[in-house]
Amino acid sequence: MGNFRNLVAIVTGGARGIGAATALKLAKGGAKVAIFDRNTETAEETLAKIKDAGSEGIALEVDVTNRQQIEKEMETVVDQWGKIDILVNNAGILKDSMIDNLSEEDWEQVIDVNLKGSFLCAQAAQKYMKKQNYGKIVMVSSQAAVGSLGRVNYSSAKAGVQGMTKALSMELGPFGINVNAVAPGFIDTDMSEVSRISAKMRGIDDFDEFKKSFIKNNPIQRVGRPEDVANVITFLASDEAEYVTGQVIYVSGRPVI
Ligand code: NDP
């Protein structure tokens, strides 16, 4: 599945977790992959795996809230590899808090990285994609878009990402660009460790019990793996999904309404 030979992909937040699994899967399909991350050192392991897979990868220091950095490093990618075919807007953060204690700063940071970052990267990438009349943009939303306790900021950002996906798909479809989103549920990454730390604040006293009960109540009977999400992202980034746009696919082992 997914022949990405001769294609160039950018994965934001690709140094770790879901982004790293996606970068590797794209590379295994033959894509050249640029990882845009705040910390390029953490991308080294993924870059080594990309090399082992016989493809090319680079890690570029980009904070997705910074328009200048995004534009500069997209130019670096185009200078090096000639084009941008695939953008995966994966970078995201959590700053959980119940509403009484949710600071304006934590509201802004979460909206900035998850929502504004997706907008800035999509805006910059689509300029290149339009010129070649080809592109795939995949956003990473979250099951939290339908509401998650202690996550007013994050739920708002991830619901916004879904709205952005649908609006952008209408604008960019005529230019050969598909825009879709995945919305993961509970996926085992460093971010789920952040959830562990913030669990008490969200009224969850015993995170391990919470995880056990989550597994028991999940139809697939396990938490998700980064590869579960990467599989769907790479499908949406492939030509096999050519007639799919403006869609949100939940990758959560359960139905989400
Ligand atoms: P991780 O925390 O494991 O990795 C996130 C990556 O994004 C890190 O490399 C991080 O860099 C990078 N990043 C954070 N902020 C920025 C920024 N401003 N600019 C560039 N890079 C940045 O997260 P996951 O892999 O778990 O999550 C990936 C995406 O999936 C996120 O959008 C998240 O919201 C979403 N998601 C995750 C779920 C889960 O259960 N794990 C569930 C639903 C959605 P650094 O090392 O500097 O922090």
Side-chain angles (χ1 to χ4, degrees):
M1 196 259 300
N3 183 353
F4 300 113
R5 238 172 296 151
N6 300 321
L7 297 183
V8 175
I10 293 174
V11 181
T12 71
R16 298 190 280 125
I18 293 168
T22 303
L24 185 58
K25 181 132 180 132
L26 287 166
K28 283 183 175 168
K32 296 184 176 78
V33 183
I35 291 173
F36 278 18
D37 213 295
R38 287 189 298 203
N39 182 355
T40 50
E41 275 170 31
T42 46
E44 273 167 25
E45 200 183 318
T46 309
L47 289 179
K49 288 182 185 165
I50 288 175
K51 202 172 164 198
D52 288 347
S55 194
E56 286 178 61
I58 44 171
L60 299 163
E61 197 177 311
V62 176
D63 180 331
V64 295
T65 65
N66 185 318
R67 181 192 291 278
Q68 282 76 32
Q69 284 179 14
I70 294 165
E71 289 178 352
K72 176 173 170 274
E73 298 306 1
M74 284 199 185
E75 259 181 54
T76 304
V77 173
V78 173
D79 285 347
Q80 189 154 333
W81 292 328
K83 56 186 184 149
I84 297 167
D85 300 299
I86 296 166
L87 168 69
V88 181
N89 269 328
N90 163 79
I93 57 164
L94 283 174
K95 297 266 175 186
D96 292 348
S97 178
M98 301 299 264
I99 187 77
D100 281 333
N101 297 314
L102 177 56
S103 66
E104 218 173 310
E105 193 189 348
D106 284 355
W107 165 267
E108 276 171 6
Q109 276 185 16
V110 167
I111 298 288
D112 270 5
V113 176
N114 294 282
L115 184 59
K116 184 177 147 191
S118 299
F119 154 65
L120 290 175
C121 291
Q123 190 181 43
Q126 57 88 35
K127 290 181 189 157
Y128 296 100
M129 293 173 175
K130 264 184 188 156
K131 281 185 203 152
Q132 63 195 19
N133 204 40
Y134 182 90
K136 310 280 181 191
I137 298 176
V138 185
M139 311 278 190
V140 181
S141 173
S142 168
Q143 186 179 321
V146 296
S148 182
L149 194 70
R151 293 182 168 166
V152 164
N153 49 1
Y154 187 73
S155 292
S156 304
K158 293 302 195 183
V161 165
Q162 296 193 10
M164 193 191 310
T165 300
K166 290 171 192 296
L168 257 185
S169 72
M170 296 167 98
E171 279 194 39
L172 298 181
F175 298 94
I177 304 167
N178 297 60
V179 188
N180 289 291
V182 293
F186 190 160
I187 311 295
D188 219 351
T189 66
D190 295 342
M191 187 177 270
S192 29
E193 278 310 300
V194 178
S195 298
R196 176 187 292 277
I197 294 160
S198 68
K200 265 215 157 54
M201 211 189 308
R202 299 194 289 130
I204 300 162
D205 284 331
D206 184 335
F207 189 78
D208 290 321
E209 274 309 310
F210 168 76
K211 197 168 169 179
K212 267 190 219 154
S213 121
F214 171 90
I215 291 168
K216 205 170 134 210
N217 292 310
N218 184 287
I220 307 289
Q221 303 272 288
R222 64 170 172 85
V223 296
R225 304 179 188 112
E227 292 72 22
D228 293 318
V229 187
N231 288 342
V232 182
I233 293 174
T234 49
F235 166 66
L236 291 172
S238 77
D239 288 336
E240 288 173 353
E242 188 180 299
Y243 205 56
V244 181
T245 200
Q247 299 302 311
V248 179
I249 300 186
Y250 284 84
V251 187
S252 51
R254 62 175 312 122
V256 176
I257 301 156

